[in-house]
């Protein structure tokens, strides 16, 4: 086991060339997201947008994605790994995109959540809570914290206080030649983040069943762990105003 862990640790630390590939993949994904936002209209289906994502990547010279794109509208956003369906976009819907691509085998990963029309007060509160949880985790890393479970804890404790059992997955994971690499942000993780690894930070809240809010909000950035903190590799807005379409 120790030997395997060592390989994982070595692989986690990215050199300049590896990092450049990840950043390039992310910049292409940001261009694709800009194009998607222009393509959205009432009545478009999740599958149509998922196919548009694939075609748009091809137009930017990318033919290998990090994973099949997640496109979810309305209550489908409550499914963490939703597969695009024939569901059509309608006013008042939440929209979630989670996708990435590869450049020279190195992956990118990003999630953004949007509102198709002005969100109600509960939707706003949920969105702002997820954003705040993300900020708490980033600030913890920014102060030099390298223990994965402590970074997960600060975001999880905040969300748990407001919304019990609505954040069912880890806060994030390493990214490299595969989309989920060591280390991992989880409540029981014993991982220590090495300087030079690339991680996702992706808090989320998901509401299924009855109630005045059905759906989910997840926001995800990729960051580089540095000696004294981090550098955000994602360069796409995520404030509430930008999330309102």
């Amino acid at each position: 086991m120790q030997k395997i862990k060592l390989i994982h640790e070595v692989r986690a630390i990215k050199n300049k060339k590896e990092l450049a590939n990840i950043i390039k993949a992310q910049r292409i994904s940001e261009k694709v997201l800009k194009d998607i936002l222009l393509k959205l209209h009432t009545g478009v289906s999740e599958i149509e947008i998922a196919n548009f994502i694939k075609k748009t990547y091809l137009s930017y010279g990318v033919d290998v994605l990090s994973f099949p794109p997640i496109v979810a509208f309305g209550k489908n956003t409550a499914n963490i790994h939703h597969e695009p369906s024939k569901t059509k976009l309608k006013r008042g819907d939440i929209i979630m995109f989670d996708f990435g691509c590869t450049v020279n085998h190195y992956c990118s990963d990003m999630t953004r959540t949007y509102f198709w029309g002005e969100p109600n007060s509960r939707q706003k509160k949920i969105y702002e809570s997820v954003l705040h949880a993300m900020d708490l985790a980033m600030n913890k890393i920014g102060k030099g914290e390298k223990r994965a479970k402590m970074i997960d804890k600060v975001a999880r404790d905040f969300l748990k206080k407001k919304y019990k059992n609505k954040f069912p997955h880890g806060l994030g994971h390493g990214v490299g030649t595969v989309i989920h690499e060591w280390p991992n942000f989880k409540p029981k993780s014993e991982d220590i983040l090495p300087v030079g690894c690339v991680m996702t930070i992706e808090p989320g809240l998901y509401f299924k069943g009855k109630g005045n809010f059905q759906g989910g909000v997840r926001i995800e950035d990729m960051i580089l762990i540095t000696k004294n903190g981090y550098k955000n590799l994602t360069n796409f807005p995520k404030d509430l105003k930008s999330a309102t379409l």
Side-chain angles (χ1 to χ4, degrees):
M1 277 306 286
Q2 198 59 38
K3 198 174 182 183
I4 292 169
K5 191 181 178 192
L6 186 64
I7 292 164
H8 285 176
E9 287 177 358
V10 170
R11 190 168 80 156
I13 299 162
K14 307 299 184 283
N15 63 32
K16 278 186 181 178
K17 201 173 179 183
E18 290 172 314
L19 190 58
N21 285 326
I22 292 170
I23 293 170
K24 189 177 179 185
Q26 178 56 28
R27 294 295 166 265
I28 293 168
S29 292
E30 288 164 4
K31 285 182 186 176
V32 170
L33 183 49
K34 263 186 194 169
D35 294 341
I36 298 164
L37 295 180
L38 296 173
K39 184 78 175 170
L40 289 175
H41 60 86
T42 299
V44 74
S45 73
E46 292 170 350
I47 283 177
E48 283 176 85
I49 294 298
N51 288 336
F52 177 76
I53 290 171
K54 292 169 194 171
K55 281 181 197 162
T56 308
Y57 270 122
L58 283 171
S59 74
Y60 288 119
V62 171
D63 58 0
V64 180
L65 303 189
S66 302
F67 53 92
I70 294 171
V71 177
F73 299 156
K75 64 182 181 184
N76 293 344
T77 54
N79 302 329
I80 295 165
H81 299 294
H82 180 69
E83 288 183 20
S85 68
K86 290 178 182 175
T87 300
K88 292 182 176 179
L89 182 61
K90 59 185 192 299
R91 276 280 149 196
D93 273 354
I94 301 171
I95 301 165
M96 189 184 288
F97 302 120
D98 185 349
F99 58 85
C101 72
T102 69
V103 169
N104 297 322
H105 310 293
Y106 284 86
C107 300
S108 70
D109 196 0
M110 166 173 61
T111 305
R112 287 292 181 268
T113 301
Y114 294 97
F115 299 98
W116 192 240
E118 187 66 28
N120 61 38
S121 59
R122 181 159 165 76
Q123 289 173 329
K124 284 180 185 175
K125 204 175 276 184
I126 289 164
Y127 189 91
E128 294 283 19
S129 294
V130 172
L131 205 54
H132 187 61
M134 193 181 210
D135 286 341
L136 288 170
M138 298 271 206
N139 289 341
K140 195 85 173 161
I141 299 166
K143 288 175 181 169
E145 180 62 74
K146 297 286 191 286
R147 291 169 295 171
K149 70 178 168 193
M150 299 311 292
I151 297 158
D152 181 281
K153 188 180 190 303
V154 70
R156 193 169 302 279
D157 284 356
F158 170 74
L159 293 177
K160 203 192 290 178
K161 216 180 291 174
K162 286 173 162 280
Y163 312 94
K164 209 177 175 187
N165 302 325
K166 298 298 180 187
F167 177 30
H169 56 77
L171 181 69
H173 54 85
V175 177
T177 53
V178 292
I179 196 60
H180 288 107
E181 265 192 13
W182 182 92
N184 286 289
F185 290 124
K186 286 179 180 170
K188 292 180 179 176
S189 175
E190 292 300 325
D191 300 344
I192 307 294
L193 307 182
V195 171
C197 73
V198 173
M199 302 294 296
T200 67
I201 306 275
E202 48 181 309
L205 290 169
Y206 310 88
F207 301 82
K208 292 183 179 183
K210 293 170 185 174
N212 64 346
F213 182 89
Q214 287 183 51
V217 170
R218 181 167 69 252
I219 308 166
E220 176 185 27
D221 283 357
M222 269 194 321
I223 64 169
L224 170 70
I225 303 300
T226 62
K227 192 181 175 186
N228 300 314
Y230 71 93
K231 181 186 176 188
N232 199 326
L233 306 180
T234 308
N235 190 18
F236 208 90
K238 53 183 183 269
D239 57 288
L240 183 60
K241 191 180 175 186
S242 303
T244 306
L245 305 176

